[in-house]
Amino acid sequence: MKNGIVILDFGSQYNQLIARRIREFGVYSEILPFNSDIEEITKLMPKGIILSGGPSSVNASDANLITKEIYELGIPIFGICYGMQLTVHLLGGKVAKGNIGEYGKSTFFKDKNVRLLKDVPKSSTVWMSHFDEVEILPNGFEEIGHTSTCIAGIANEEKKIYATQFHPEVAHTEFGTQIIKNFVFDICKCEKTWNLSDYIETSIKEIKETVGNKKVILGLSGGVDSSVAAMLIHKAIGNQLTCIFVDLGLMRKNEAKNVMQTYGEHYNMNIIHVDASKEFLSALKDVSDPETKRKIIGHKFIDVFNREAIKLKDVSFLAQGTIYPDVIESKSAKGGPSVTIKSHHNVGGLPEEMNLKLLEPLKELFKDEVRNLGLQLGIPRKMIMRHPFPGPGLGIRILGAVDEEKVKILQEADDIFIQELYKNNLYDKVSQAFVVLLPVKSVGVMGDERTYEYTAVIRSANTTDFMTATWSRLPYDFLDLVSTRIINEVKGINRVVYDISSKPPATIEWE
């Protein structure tokens, strides 16, 4: 971190994009809550500090503020959106509500050739999302750019304090990557010291030193995070690791078989396979509310895992596939400004009475870094590059109450869709694809007979960051093929529709 960038989180939905952009440059970045102590920030010895955007107003009575001391540390600072308004507000300028809000694409006009805007043209497209705007600049600052409605960039070159009203981390900002690069390398003088090969070597060494000759258990789901964590730990301590694979009965078709073959047989891991499908389906009987379903699945998973874990003797560590976005989210929940829209897809932690120490070797990595790590560890590409799959599984892709019949129907339909995506070389061209089963029946005709069966929804989305997404423009002939196969081959479905909603306003998953 001594060569990295600290990002202070004021609640922007784009915070993780900033950190990921910087890491892609080969520079480490870390997100801290905005209200972190100044000592916590300085002990990391960052080369630069970024103040993120956020939903608040600096003029609100409960505004998210920081100490002015941060501007006197001699560390370069870059404020983004709310971070710009905060800088102006704290250093003696004035921020007020604009006559009109500015949301979406806007044109930025560069007024000054400062280091932050090196290689940025006189005009370019940027992404705006604000209702307040800067009216009066603090002493020592100059305007470096504007849009048709507001001051959109400011700088104090002497103190190396910069800010933009727009979001350079968002893909819609044409030269956003260049602006962040300018801050990281030209202004902060960071060096490229972050790479995953070093991470593997360092992690294996740390795991060996931490665990010693003790035993570790891990809940293996077959998903990317738990699989990569298992491989990394197995590489470090071998048979000291035991994985518990809990089959919820809500997984993809043949998922249990594939997990046991890939990790148990091929990599010789110790894996305990627990078929708890009847327990989960029984607990979900007649439950329709999505949040309730999530909680039931989460609690039941903990119960089953705990039951199996206590059978093992002399276990000292619980390993988890926690990744950096999970850490950020938990920090925000404990005092940050971010708002939880719905319960996280992943199940919760384990009871305290297990008295195990946590081992989380991936907690500093983003999802794309975890995938790259998995490939370097030798996990088959088809397993590691799979689309995201929610922790509660098909339990939240079956709308309404869940039962065994619906699970089997959805497994078959989803399997056909994924099969055809692979066959038609489309799987890697979309970001997430699956089938949803609706609690809606409609009339159909098959042969000369009337049918009254369920409706299935095909969902496919394209995204770079999963913060925003568009529906995939799949070929009509392909959709026709998938629909025909599902209706002909899956008993229980007689109608297939295609979801053409973007995120926002919809989410990628339906529940």
Side-chain angles (χ1 to χ4, degrees), residues 437-452:
L437 189 67
L438 299 184
V440 174
K441 288 188 174 183
S442 64
V443 174
V445 178
M446 299 184 79
D448 292 324
E449 294 185 1
R450 174 186 182 278
T451 61
Y452 190 63

Side-chain angles (χ1 to χ4, degrees), residues 223-439:
V224 173
D225 303 338
S226 68
S227 299
V228 174
M231 281 291 289
L232 188 59
I233 296 167
H234 182 70
K235 200 172 183 68
I237 61 172
N239 288 336
Q240 289 170 245
L241 170 69
T242 298
C243 298
I244 299 175
F245 172 56
V246 179
D247 185 349
L248 319 180
L250 301 169
M251 310 183 88
R252 300 176 180 99
K253 184 179 178 181
N254 296 326
E255 181 75 358
K257 178 183 174 184
N258 292 336
V259 168
M260 295 304 294
Q261 283 182 341
T262 301
Y263 299 104
E265 297 173 22
H266 187 69
Y267 293 111
N268 297 313
M269 288 187 187
N270 294 329
I271 304 179
I272 298 170
H273 178 198
V274 184
D275 184 357
S277 53
K278 292 192 185 308
E279 288 185 56
F280 279 88
L281 289 171
S282 175
L284 290 168
K285 190 174 183 340
D286 299 327
V287 178
S288 296
D289 179 72
E291 285 295 297
T292 305
K293 285 195 285 186
R294 272 194 182 82
K295 287 180 171 64
I296 288 172
I297 293 168
H299 291 313
K300 178 56 66 175
F301 175 87
I302 291 168
D303 291 342
V304 174
F305 187 97
N306 189 36
R307 188 176 68 214
E308 295 300 320
I310 59 177
K311 295 177 184 177
L312 301 172
K313 303 299 181 186
D314 303 320
V315 174
S316 300
F317 290 89
L318 167 68
Q320 293 188 156
T322 306
I323 63 174
Y324 195 42
D326 301 330
V327 175
I328 297 167
E329 185 175 303
S330 66
K331 282 183 179 178
S332 292
K334 293 177 182 174
S338 299
V339 176
T340 301
I341 295 172
K342 61 183 179 183
S343 296
H344 200 271
H345 290 325
N346 294 328
V347 294
L350 292 169
E352 292 181 6
E353 59 265 25
M354 288 189 70
N355 198 28
L356 300 177
K357 297 176 184 175
L358 270 183
L359 187 65
E360 299 174 308
L362 309 180
K363 66 181 180 182
E364 295 177 352
L365 303 181
F366 285 105
K367 191 76 166 191
D368 51 341
E369 293 173 320
V370 173
R371 290 187 193 278
N372 289 333
L373 190 69
L375 292 174
Q376 290 187 36
L377 288 167
I379 298 176
R381 181 177 178 82
K382 193 169 182 178
M383 293 290 283
I384 208 67
M385 299 307 290
R386 290 197 300 180
H387 297 165
F389 188 72
L394 302 182
I396 59 166
R397 290 180 178 173
I398 296 170
L399 271 62
V402 179
D403 59 40
E404 187 174 3
E405 179 195 15
K406 290 178 184 175
V407 171
K408 287 180 178 176
I409 290 172
L410 183 53
Q411 283 176 332
E412 294 297 331
D414 190 73
D415 187 56
I416 288 170
F417 184 31
I418 300 305
Q419 276 181 34
E420 292 299 337
L421 284 168
Y422 276 118
K423 283 182 189 176
N424 290 273
N425 296 316
L426 291 168
Y427 187 85
D428 291 330
K429 294 178 182 178
V430 301
S431 306
Q432 190 168 358
F434 53 91
V435 177
V436 174
L437 189 67
L438 299 184

Side-chain angles (χ1 to χ4, degrees), residues 1-4 6 30 32 36-47 49 73 75 331:
M1 188 62 214
K2 291 178 183 178
N3 188 51
V6 162
E30 189 167 319
L32 297 179
S36 299
D37 292 337
I38 198 87
E39 292 79 12
E40 185 179 356
I41 297 168
T42 55
K43 77 179 180 183
L44 295 173
M45 301 175 66
K47 286 287 191 76
I49 298 170
L73 295 174
I75 301 172
K331 282 183 179 178

